[in-house]
Amino acid sequence: MNSYGLILAGGKGTRMNDVLPKVAQKILGKEFINFVYDALSDAGIQNIYPIVGYKKDIVLACRDFDTHFVQEEQLGTGHAVQMAYDELYDKEGLCFVIAGDQPLITSESIKSVINAHIANENDLTLLTAERPNPYGYGRIIRNGNEVVRIVEETDCTEEEKLINEVNISTFCFDNKKLFNYIKQLKFENAQEELYLTDVLEIFKKEKLRVEAIKALTYEETVGISNKKDLAIATDFLKKEINNKHMDNGVTLIDPNNTYIGPDVTIGKGAIVYPGSVIEGSVSIGENCLIQSSYIIDSNIGDNVTVGPFAHIRQNSELGNNIRVGNFVEIKKSQLADGVKAAHLTYLGDSEIENKVNIGCGTITVNYDGKNKHKTLIGEGAFIGSNVNLIAPINIGKNSIIAAGSTITKDVPADALAIARERETIKTEYNKK
Ligand code: UD1
């Protein structure tokens, strides 16, 4: 069956009081919209499109979307879905509509909605949640077991406000029927918006099949409205992720103070010290030691020690048995097996072969003010302390660079390069 996913991502998120649009904000290094996109995709939805509006360029920069729809003016969730009308109205299949501000939703929950939708031949299947404090959410109005409509907080009677079952903007529609009725929405409500939730009532009037399923836990269904919600969601996800790593044989010395993103893998036997932040697409091999360091979008092999206080970023690739010591920054570089950079070093845009030793204070000088240049260091080379390698530069295999040198010309294999002032000694000078 064809499947379409629409992510509602046009709103500003006023209560977040941030400069970024809400769905571009992050939990553990990953944007809300990317969480939702990945959950839809993992649940098997084939064509996933965001509906963007407020600061749309920032939202669209979150990933490479195939197609998107633009809602220039934010006139409500139903209005947002109308933006997809021309493209989707005649397509057979299902359309999963979901708010982009509920990053903790799982692909399992999405799958369970889709499965019920197909098995029960529903026209609309929605996920709901029981919330201890339902304030702000649309309430699910049932007649016996049957769901009849959704009422927004601002339109609720005092009695309806006591209902704990809420709408969490997670809907699976028959695609053609959704677009058949989406244009019937009216602005007749307290917020004078077109509510997507009103489609449910229209479906009921048309005697279409509607089913509401309750989510098993409410944590994953939280819609993030403000920074306090964000902190609670971050804490929840952090615990889930850290527990998973600990179950997989990773030691987290202090899981409360260890921040690991959802797309990180870590091998058995690794030990991660408090204060470490590991985000983006990262893989770390077995038996590594990560001491209070920051690792983003990089891959690390087995038996590697990092830190304390190292920074590895931007698609760096580290092999096995490597030592990256304190105050070492590695950016967009490849380090082959056995490389050692134990202290106070910057390696940027560099390719470093097996068993190179990088002395304390070495800097690859990769930026000339306009462009970035590459540094290549051949197998077994020994770079002395406090060396500047002015890129582009090629340091030959098994060569030695004397401490304190600023190297501007390529060095052949097996050579010694010294580029520093010869020392002068003036005896008895200070006695005068
Ligand atoms: C909506 C639901 C409410 C539900 C709540 C949480 C409606 C009418 N109400 O509330 O029942 O309990 O979400 O799931 O649907 N958005 C747009 N364009 C717009 C308005 C919103 O793209 O014109 C997007 C926002 O970016 C956000 C999502 O829709 O990702 C939800 O919007 P928000 O304003 O937070 O929710 P409410 O409308 O208050």
Side-chain angles (χ1 to χ4, degrees):
M1 185 190 284
N2 287 337
S3 54
Y4 302 90
L6 294 177
I7 304 176
L8 304 176
K12 181 176 177 181
T14 313
R15 282 165 291 169
M16 290 296 266
N17 204 11
D18 199 305
V19 289
L20 287 177
K22 183 158 67 173
V23 298
Q25 293 180 44
K26 294 179 181 175
I27 295 187
L28 297 171
K30 181 167 178 170
E31 297 84 359
F32 296 1
I33 193 165
N34 280 328
F35 276 97
V36 175
Y37 188 105
D38 286 346
L40 289 173
S41 171
D42 291 347
I45 305 274
Q46 297 145 356
N47 310 285
I48 305 170
Y49 311 127
I51 302 171
V52 295
Y54 178 74
K55 293 198 179 176
K56 62 177 186 295
D57 294 341
I58 294 177
V59 177
L60 293 174
C62 290
R63 87 189 285 140
D64 199 4
F65 296 104
D66 286 346
T67 304
H68 63 271
F69 302 107
V70 179
Q71 184 193 25
E72 292 294 354
E73 213 182 341
Q74 283 72 62
L75 301 177
T77 48
H79 180 253
V81 172
Q82 287 180 353
M83 302 302 113
Y85 184 91
D86 291 347
E87 189 76 25
L88 297 186
Y89 77 97
D90 59 348
K91 304 273 192 293
E92 300 283 353
L94 64 83
C95 185
F96 207 101
V97 183
I98 186 165
D101 63 353
Q102 44 192 55
L104 302 190
I105 193 83
T106 61
S107 58
E108 287 76 24
S109 292
I110 293 174
K111 258 187 234 159
S112 71
V113 175
I114 296 172
N115 290 344
H117 186 80
I118 295 170
N120 302 337
E121 297 181 358
N122 293 334
D123 298 302
L124 164 59
T125 315
L126 64 149
L127 196 64
T128 68
E130 291 274 358
R131 297 197 69 82
N133 176 9
Y135 178 79
Y137 287 83
R139 306 300 201 282
I140 304 294
I141 312 293
R142 289 184 186 255
N143 183 3
N145 224 1
E146 201 183 326
V147 56
V148 284
R149 62 198 167 95
I150 299 171
V151 186
E152 294 307 300
E153 173 81 32
T154 42
D155 303 300
C156 275
T157 61
E158 288 308 312
E159 206 180 323
E160 287 167 339
K161 280 184 185 164
L162 300 175
I163 297 172
N164 286 88
E165 189 185 2
V166 299
N167 169 37
I168 52 163
S169 301
T170 304
F171 302 100
C172 186
F173 289 96
D174 174 278
N175 185 66
K176 271 187 153 177
K177 288 177 184 149
L178 166 65
F179 287 101
N180 195 22
Y181 294 108
I182 193 79
K183 292 217 166 158
Q184 291 187 15
L185 296 176
K186 300 206 169 67
F187 288 94
E188 290 161 7
N189 50 59
Q191 298 181 70
E192 297 184 336
E193 288 186 352
L194 296 181
Y195 289 167
L196 177 63
T197 45
D198 287 348
V199 174
L200 190 154
E201 213 176 338
I202 299 174
F203 270 35
K204 291 300 287 184
K205 277 192 191 134
E206 296 294 329
K207 304 265 184 285
L208 298 177
R209 281 186 68 84
V210 177
E211 184 184 2
I213 300 173
K214 279 188 204 167
L216 293 178
T217 60
Y218 75 82
E219 282 89 353
E220 69 162 297
T221 64
V222 67
I224 296 184
S225 296
N226 55 48
K227 295 290 181 184
K228 285 171 278 178
D229 291 343
L230 178 60
I232 293 167
T234 302
D235 198 48
F236 174 80
L237 188 66
K238 186 181 74 180
K239 285 195 179 105
E240 293 249 299
I241 291 173
N242 287 352
N243 284 342
K244 186 190 76 187
H245 288 296
M246 289 189 283
D247 287 344
N248 287 344
V250 176
T251 302
L252 304 182
I253 304 272
D254 179 1
N256 281 334
N257 288 305
T258 303
Y259 303 85
I260 303 177
D263 301 320
V264 173
T265 60
I266 307 180
K268 280 181 203 308
I271 301 175
V272 183
Y273 274 55
S276 294
V277 177
I278 308 174
E279 290 178 344
S281 171
V282 171
S283 72
I284 295 174
E286 293 191 348
N287 210 27
C288 290
L289 178 67
I290 312 294
Q291 291 179 295
S292 311
S293 291
Y294 197 4
I295 303 172
I296 316 170
D297 291 324
S298 295
N299 296 319
I300 292 176
D302 298 333
N303 304 311
V304 173
T305 70
V306 177
F309 315 115
H311 186 186
I312 301 176
R313 63 191 177 100
Q314 230 179 313
N315 306 318
S316 288
E317 299 280 337
L318 278 62
N320 303 319
N321 306 312
I322 286 175
R323 166 97 187 100
V324 173
N326 40 193
F327 305 106
V328 172
E329 178 178 353
I330 299 177
K331 183 223 120 186
K332 214 178 179 181
S333 292
Q334 287 93 51
L335 276 60
D337 295 352
V339 168
K340 288 195 176 68
H343 343 257
L344 299 163
T345 283
Y346 173 64
L347 302 172
D349 304 297
S350 42
E351 216 178 295
I352 301 174
E353 292 181 358
N354 288 347
K355 296 201 168 163
V356 166
N357 186 86
I358 307 280
C360 173
T362 296
I363 294 175
T364 54
V365 184
N366 59 334
Y367 185 48
D368 62 12
K370 276 193 191 139
N371 298 306
K372 300 276 170 68
H373 301 284
K374 287 204 78 165
T375 298
L376 305 175
I377 307 180
E379 186 174 344
F382 182 93
I383 314 295
S385 291
N386 202 22
V387 163
N388 296 310
L389 300 170
I390 313 288
I393 194 139
N394 198 342
I395 308 296
K397 284 182 201 303
N398 206 32
S399 61
I400 299 175
I401 310 297
S405 295
T406 292
I407 302 294
T408 56
K409 290 190 219 118
D410 287 354
V411 176
D414 302 313
L416 165 68
I418 310 181
R420 64 189 187 210
E421 186 86 336
R422 192 174 285 276
E423 184 171 305
T424 312
I425 304 241
K426 298 189 176 175
T427 52
E428 308 284 308
Y429 178 85
N430 207 21
K431 278 195 168 168
K432 288 175 200 161

